[in-house]
Amino acid sequence: MLNIGIIGCGAITEAIVRGLAEADRLKIRALYDRHPQKTAYISGLLKDPPEIFDFEGMIKACDLIIEAASQGAVREFILPALKAGKNAMIMSVGALADDELLDEIKRISEEKHCKVYIPSGAIAGIDGLRAAAESKIEKVRITTRKPPQTLGVEGDEALKERVLFEGSAREAVKRFPANINVSLTLSLAGIGPDLTEVVVIQDPMIDRNIHEVEIEGAFGRMKMRFENLPSPSNPKTSFLAALSAISAIKRITEPIEIGT
Ligand SMILES: NC(=O)C1=CN([C@@H]2O[C@H](COP(=O)(O)OP(=O)(O)OC[C@H]3O[C@@H](n4cnc5c(N)ncnc54)[C@H](O)[C@@H]3O)[C@@H](O)[C@H]2O)C=CC1
Ligand SMILES: O=C([O-])CC(=O)C(=O)O
């Protein structure tokens, strides 16, 4: 039985809780959010609600700590979880643009024999990118289009299509901490946050989060396009990101592992 604790009770956690309702071999034992009403809401969705709502209790009772909160929560909770010898899953991957934090996570995981899982999130094709990275990669680029409001643009400024950002993944996740975590996932699987190119476009004509990923290297060329429906309670977050977390959790507990 995998005992799970989740930090952050927002859109992704709501989907996780609903998606794992019938899953065997695992149990959501603890939830924590800085807003107790959010914790209460998610807890209320569970048939067998957890009894633990604080991080200390979570660390004691759980084998896997899932961060689905914010970049800050990665340092605040994932480091202590790993120090306590627990496995972890990170959704706010942008936090790992901080080399010092990433090195610390790697060092502690190795020391404590823990594993850190990073789901593919709102995109796919990470398997192909990882394979391609076994040889030379010349280019990884993600072009993301989202409705202006999800990128914090309101009023007249929101009426037209506009490139808001063009630069490295390292800079992109600082500028948009809750919108382009996927660029850091690509960076970790590929050529790093300084060489991974990001373009962010506000597009008033769309109601989906669109990601286009282009990869070129010794293997040839890959092009992928995702037209993701938003999560019902957080339009910034694609529903696919939550589904990816559910699938990654099930993969840990299921006896047969499919795909690389
Ligand atoms: N890896 C990926 O592909 C994707 C990652 N994300 C990221 O995953 C994270 C969760 O996403 P959503 O569920 O949509 O967010 P959300 O905004 O719906 O929910 C986040 C919850 O975490 C809580 N929270 C934030 N910081 C906290 C802290 N330090 N301590 C305790 N509680 C805290 C908030 O109160 C909120 O209830 C976000 O950082 C988001 O940017 C989102 C989409 C795709
Ligand atoms: O959900 C998405 O489409 C992408 C996203 O917000 C992120 O990577 O942070």
Side-chain angles (χ1 to χ4, degrees):
M1 179 68 68
L2 180 72
N3 291 304
I4 298 174
I6 312 181
I7 308 284
C9 292
I12 289 182
T13 299
E14 177 165 354
I16 290 177
V17 159
R18 292 185 191 278
L20 293 180
E22 305 300 327
D24 301 323
R25 297 183 283 268
L26 58 85
K27 183 166 163 44
I28 296 170
R29 290 286 311 279
L31 292 167
Y32 174 72
D33 195 290
R34 60 182 163 206
H35 299 297
Q37 72 277 17
K38 296 239 183 186
T39 316
Y41 171 69
I42 298 291
S43 178
L45 300 175
L46 284 154
K47 242 193 296 180
D48 181 13
E51 284 163 10
I52 301 165
F53 302 107
D54 65 292
F55 182 62
E56 287 66 35
M58 181 183 293
I59 286 286
K60 284 197 192 105
C62 299
D63 319 301
L64 175 71
I65 311 297
I66 301 175
E67 175 283 320
S70 58
Q71 289 190 19
V74 176
R75 181 178 285 280
E76 195 177 340
F77 300 106
I78 296 303
L79 281 182
L82 293 170
K83 282 181 188 157
K86 306 297 172 168
N87 294 329
M89 185 172 285
I90 295 175
M91 293 309 293
S92 305
V93 197
L96 307 181
D98 177 342
D99 286 337
E100 183 245 326
L101 177 61
L102 178 60
D103 287 347
E104 213 171 338
I105 286 176
K106 284 184 189 161
R107 184 181 57 76
I108 301 167
S109 304
E110 215 163 315
E111 209 174 280
K112 297 283 182 180
H113 307 287
C114 301
K115 193 115 179 155
V116 176
Y117 300 95
I118 298 179
S120 301
I123 55 168
I126 300 297
D127 55 343
L129 174 55
R130 283 183 53 181
E134 295 297 337
S135 186
K136 182 147 179 55
I137 292 183
E138 272 115 37
K139 171 179 164 183
V140 180
R141 185 180 177 93
I142 178 166
T143 304
T144 291
R145 287 174 176 269
K146 287 192 173 188
Q149 291 75 12
T150 67
L151 294 160
V153 182
E154 303 283 348
D156 285 352
E157 285 300 305
L159 298 176
K160 54 183 186 299
E161 181 180 316
R162 193 154 67 97
V163 175
L164 290 182
F165 177 87
E166 197 159 4
S168 69
R170 198 187 296 278
E171 287 304 315
V173 293
K174 277 192 213 142
R175 171 94 184 268
F176 299 101
N179 273 300
I180 193 79
N181 287 283
V182 283
S183 69
L184 229 287
T185 310
L186 286 170
S187 305
L188 295 173
I191 51 177
D194 295 316
L195 295 178
T196 302
E197 301 165 25
V198 179
V199 181
V200 178
I201 301 169
Q202 66 168 57
D203 186 343
M205 302 307 284
I206 56 172
D207 58 1
R208 296 177 182 216
N209 297 325
I210 299 178
H211 303 289
E212 284 178 311
V213 179
E214 300 162 71
I215 304 166
E216 284 175 27
F219 73 97
R221 191 179 298 150
M222 258 184 250
K223 272 192 172 186
M224 291 165 282
R225 178 179 164 94
F226 307 92
E227 296 184 7
N228 294 337
L229 290 169
S231 295
S233 63
N234 183 359
K236 287 197 276 284
T237 292
S238 300
F239 183 43
L240 183 66
L243 297 177
S244 161
I246 296 168
S247 160
I249 296 163
K250 285 187 173 172
R251 199 176 156 114
I252 298 171
T253 57
E254 281 169 2
I256 295 181
E257 197 165 313
I258 305 161
T260 52

